[in-house]
Amino acid sequence: MPRTYQPFFAHGEFRRLMPALVASDVGDGMSVVAVAWLAVLIAPDGRSGLVVGAAVAAYALPGAVGALVFGRWLRRLPARRLMAVDGWLRASLLGCVPLAWAAGVLHPAVYVVLLAGSSVLHAWGSAGKYSLLAQMLPPEQRLAANALVSASASASVIVGPALAGFLAAAVSPAWIVGIDALSFAVLAVQVGRVGGVAGAVGTAGPVDTGRSAAGLHLLRRQPELLGVLALTWFFNFLYGPVEVALPLHVTDDLHSGAGLLGLYWTVFGVGAVVGGLTAGALRKLPLWPVTLGIVAGWGLMLMPFGLGVPVSVSLVCFALGGMIYGPFTALSFTLFQERTPAAWLTTVLAARGAALLTSAPLGTALGGPLVAVMGPRQVLAASGGATLVLAVVAIAVRLSGPRAR
């Protein structure tokens, strides 16, 4: 084990918390397949694209609303309390999905409402997680701890979809959503056992509207940072339709099952982990050119889907796409960190979080109607083409402005 990570496993509270975080990450990874697959099964004839889009968006988009609406009441809660509340809410409402399925009352509207309710506080739970790590560990260990927790989330994209694809051959995806619910119950219980870690100290919310407004005011005077934010927003937005189109591409175009969908996300996750681990080496390169290259490369890897290439080729493209996509978030944060005065960094990142909360979920919500009109294969290719156009526009804007690293 690298020396950087050894102290964490001698830290009693971190050692107890990390397995529960891994469990919830794997549960969410399984839901990448299960949520969309269950939507396909319960959708009326001819409406699968709309139902899948609504379900995937409901699993994420309400978190943006909850981040803004409940700030007044939640931003002063201790970090572990935020994690526990989010965990129990997700466990309770996601746990209702298999019960409704077993009772024969899982109407698409009921399904979407349960998913939406389960995700309302998830942005706060995520903020609580990173605040708890900051309270639990000394400053010199926080970066490595964040990297370790982020690696768990990336690895779950490998393990979760593969496991869900395997289980979907034996049980309904509704029960897989129930396993996700159980994983959040485990996390909520384990967080409750983490005692004495700044128990009376509140945590800053993921979106503090006052700080976000101040941060946006600063960004208006920092064209380069505003450009990074706009690029990231549109990049995430154009990625959103992929989460709707891919499961329908598997069923409608390839006439296959959940196992293949799980395989797509597994190879993507493998690529993302490998790409993410190279982010440290990429820091030695000009950050803007590499970031724009990532945007263009991801778009290019989606284009073959529109050409009707064999499954083996599209799997390779999706794996390479994951490898290209993997470092993007780290590089985006690095650009903000290097270009923002230290005294304003928290404020600017709050503004960044407020702006980006809606990007991918809105793209996902748009994916349903687009699939209904164009078809899943064409939506995948269109997402790639639009992303390439985004890269070209960003490069043109970048070249026309002042040169920077």
Side-chain angles (χ1 to χ4, degrees):
M1 182 183 301
R3 185 178 301 174
T4 304
Y5 300 108
Q6 292 177 4
F8 300 140
F9 297 93
H11 191 291
E13 290 177 329
F14 184 90
R15 190 173 63 246
R16 288 195 298 270
L17 181 63
M18 191 63 199
L21 292 175
V22 172
S24 67
D25 285 339
V26 172
D28 265 348
M30 294 171 65
S31 287
V32 168
V33 172
V35 167
W37 200 255
L38 182 55
V40 171
L41 295 182
I42 66 175
D45 291 340
R47 304 294 295 275
S48 56
L50 295 175
V51 176
V52 171
V56 174
Y59 196 61
L61 188 56
V65 179
L68 294 169
V69 171
F70 299 111
R72 180 180 302 176
W73 298 280
L74 296 181
R75 64 189 178 197
R76 294 181 178 85
L77 288 182
R80 63 191 185 98
R81 182 75 60 82
L82 285 176
M83 291 182 67
V85 169
D86 174 54
W88 284 122
L89 180 64
R90 288 175 76 82
S92 300
L93 294 182
L94 292 178
C96 290
V97 171
L99 297 179
W101 169 268
V105 295
L106 191 62
H107 186 273
V110 174
Y111 183 46
V112 170
V113 168
L114 289 174
L115 292 175
S118 73
S119 68
V120 164
L121 299 181
H122 198 45
W124 289 98
S126 178
K129 173 172 67 176
Y130 286 98
S131 295
L132 184 61
L133 292 176
Q135 296 167 8
M136 184 183 295
L137 299 168
E140 64 272 14
Q141 294 182 354
R142 291 173 188 168
L143 179 59
N146 291 338
L148 187 62
V149 171
S150 297
S152 169
S154 297
S156 72
V157 181
I158 304 170
V159 177
L163 185 56
F166 173 77
L167 291 175
V171 299
S172 164
W175 298 109
I176 300 174
V177 175
I179 295 173
D180 189 16
L182 181 61
S183 73
F184 278 101
V186 170
L187 177 61
V189 170
Q190 199 68 358
V191 167
R193 297 179 59 199
V194 178
V197 182
V201 178
T203 180
V207 179
D208 182 318
T209 53
R211 293 186 71 82
S212 297
L216 289 173
H217 177 71
L218 176 65
L219 286 174
R220 284 196 295 268
R221 295 186 281 111
Q222 297 273 355
E224 186 178 18
L225 294 181
L226 197 59
V228 177
L229 181 60
L231 176 69
T232 306
W233 196 96
F234 283 105
F235 190 35
N236 292 348
F237 174 77
L238 294 174
Y239 167 80
V242 173
E243 295 192 345
V244 179
L246 185 62
L248 296 174
H249 172 62
V250 170
T251 57
D252 297 354
D253 299 330
L254 302 179
H255 309 291
S256 189
L260 180 59
L261 178 60
L263 182 59
Y264 270 109
W265 285 117
T266 298
V267 298
F268 175 87
V270 171
V273 170
V274 173
L277 291 176
T278 65
L282 290 175
R283 284 177 56 87
K284 301 175 183 178
L285 299 175
L287 295 178
W288 260 111
V290 174
T291 300
L292 294 173
I294 288 173
V295 176
W298 168 251
L300 189 63
M301 290 301 102
L302 289 178
M303 296 298 292
F305 282 90
L307 303 176
V309 298
V311 171
S312 58
V313 176
S314 63
L315 282 169
V316 171
C317 289
F318 216 55
L320 291 174
M323 187 179 300
I324 293 168
Y325 192 95
F328 180 81
T329 300
L331 291 173
S332 174
F333 270 111
T334 301
L335 280 167
F336 266 83
Q337 290 166 344
E338 292 194 355
R339 304 296 195 264
T340 307
W344 279 92
L345 183 58
T346 301
T347 301
V348 169
L349 291 181
R352 178 187 185 277
L356 296 182
L357 277 171
T358 58
S359 54
L362 283 177
T364 300
L366 181 63
L370 287 177
V371 168
V373 173
M374 301 171 58
R377 177 181 293 162
Q378 290 73 20
V379 168
L380 288 168
S383 174
T387 304
L388 279 172
V389 171
L390 172 65
V392 171
V393 171
I395 291 170
V397 171
R398 183 67 182 162
L399 291 177
S400 65
R403 298 186 62 184
R405 196 172 70 86

